Amino acid sequence: MQNFCYLCASNNVNIVSVMIEIIPAIDIIEGKCVRLSKGDYDQKKVYNENPVEVAKEFQDAGIKRLHLVDLDGAKAKHIVNYKVLEAIASATDLTIDFGGGLKSDDDLRIAFECGAKMITGGSIAVKDPSTFLGWIENFGAERIILGADAKDGKIAVTGWTETSDDDLIPFISGYVSKGISKVICTDISKDGMLAGASTELYKEILKAEPNLFLIASGGVSCMQDILDLENAKVPAVITGKAIYEGRITLSDISKLLR
């Protein structure tokens, strides 16, 4: 990982404590820490060949939570990089939520046995809702996060390579009525672009579901984006590329956490 040295200085952002939970992301392809742009596997950049090293840096900064995504699994439609999950869980105390290609009870069993505290299901919730609802019942709603990835207001699936006919907010509300309390929502058009988060979209979701633990994802470029989400009363935010590109520093995240 490159040095973390820059934090939106040109925006004159004051570093103050926040209530929003900041969750760094590690996306895995072939065991390496990568980031995509708009979910495009052809726009891949490798940031570190050792994800465990990255996770340890996050923990050293005082971060408690990690969003770990198996991008190989998302394409293969089954868990692939469980050894990376196991290695990070063994080397850190981070609370890991794990997603990417989880399609069966066996996938979940492997993920939980390898150290995930929660899993994120996206495509499965669209294509096989009976299985996803079974996970809520069998593993507990507190351990299941709904992945609601949006493209032009529609739910996207299969590693964002397909768009479904499901509208975003009704899709989320349908699962809230079934017991889901945590949702990661990614605006794919923003993901990896460092162009700002879809704050207005998250406001709409929270207006429809005010008790939802909504985790914003995609587009965060600097600390001001996080503060804007905080002001919009978004409970949590995932950030990846902004950290890896040095636009948000672990030092300043550490200050916020203190």
Side-chain angles (χ1 to χ4, degrees):
M1 190 184 300
Q2 64 187 58
N3 293 329
F4 303 107
C5 59
Y6 177 73
L7 171 73
C8 263
S10 60
N11 292 340
N12 296 315
V13 175
N14 292 320
I15 302 304
V16 295
S17 61
V18 295
M19 295 297 293
I20 190 170
E21 184 176 11
I22 301 173
I23 306 170
I26 295 179
D27 294 353
I28 304 297
I29 291 180
E30 296 176 349
K32 301 172 183 178
C33 178
V34 308
R35 294 300 291 175
L36 307 181
S37 295
K38 294 185 179 181
D40 185 349
Y41 283 71
D42 292 328
Q43 297 186 58
K44 175 186 71 175
K45 183 174 181 179
V46 176
Y47 285 95
N48 197 306
E49 296 195 359
N50 186 351
V52 176
E53 178 182 294
V54 178
K56 285 181 176 179
E57 290 185 29
F58 291 154
Q59 179 169 273
D60 290 344
I63 289 165
K64 304 296 184 184
R65 174 93 175 266
L66 175 67
H67 179 59
L68 184 62
V69 182
D70 181 1
L71 290 176
D72 291 316
K75 289 189 79 171
K77 301 181 182 179
H78 60 82
I79 192 169
V80 173
N81 286 296
Y82 57 90
K83 290 294 185 183
V84 175
L85 166 62
E86 187 174 43
I88 292 174
S90 297
T92 73
D93 296 321
L94 294 168
T95 298
I96 303 170
D97 76 73
F98 182 82
L102 303 176
K103 294 291 184 288
S104 67
D105 290 358
D106 196 48
D107 285 334
L108 262 67
R109 179 187 59 77
I110 293 170
F112 287 133
E113 286 181 355
C114 288
K117 298 300 183 184
M118 292 169 279
I119 66 92
T120 300
S123 300
I124 187 73
V126 177
K127 295 190 170 185
D128 190 358
S130 61
T131 294
F132 187 72
L133 290 171
W135 293 351
I136 296 171
E137 181 178 352
N138 296 328
F139 294 96
E142 71 281 357
R143 302 181 79 187
I144 309 297
I145 303 172
L146 175 65
D149 301 328
K151 186 175 184 180
D152 300 323
K154 300 288 187 181
I155 293 292
V157 295
T158 318
W160 301 346
T161 60
E162 303 174 31
T163 303
S164 75
D165 294 326
D166 292 286
D167 291 319
L168 175 64
I169 294 178
F171 176 79
I172 291 173
S173 294
Y175 275 111
V176 169
S177 70
K178 300 292 195 302
I180 282 292
S181 61
K182 297 184 286 289
V183 173
I184 296 173
C185 181
T186 305
D187 183 343
I188 295 169
S189 69
K190 298 278 190 177
D191 189 70
M193 301 309 293
L194 299 174
S198 292
T199 305
E200 294 304 314
L201 173 62
Y202 302 130
K203 287 180 180 178
E204 291 180 27
I205 295 171
L206 289 173
K207 183 178 179 180
E209 297 294 342
N211 297 320
L212 184 67
F213 191 86
L214 178 63
I215 305 166
S217 174
V220 171
S221 63
C222 64
M223 195 58 70
Q224 185 60 56
D225 292 331
I226 293 176
L227 297 178
D228 288 344
L229 291 167
E230 161 92 350
N231 290 334
K233 302 188 186 308
V234 176
V237 57
I238 290 171
T239 180
K241 195 170 187 177
I243 293 175
Y244 298 119
E245 292 287 338
R247 297 193 180 206
I248 293 176
T249 73
L250 289 182
S251 173
D252 285 309
I253 289 177
S254 183
K255 290 176 185 177
L256 286 179
L257 296 175
R258 290 199 299 268

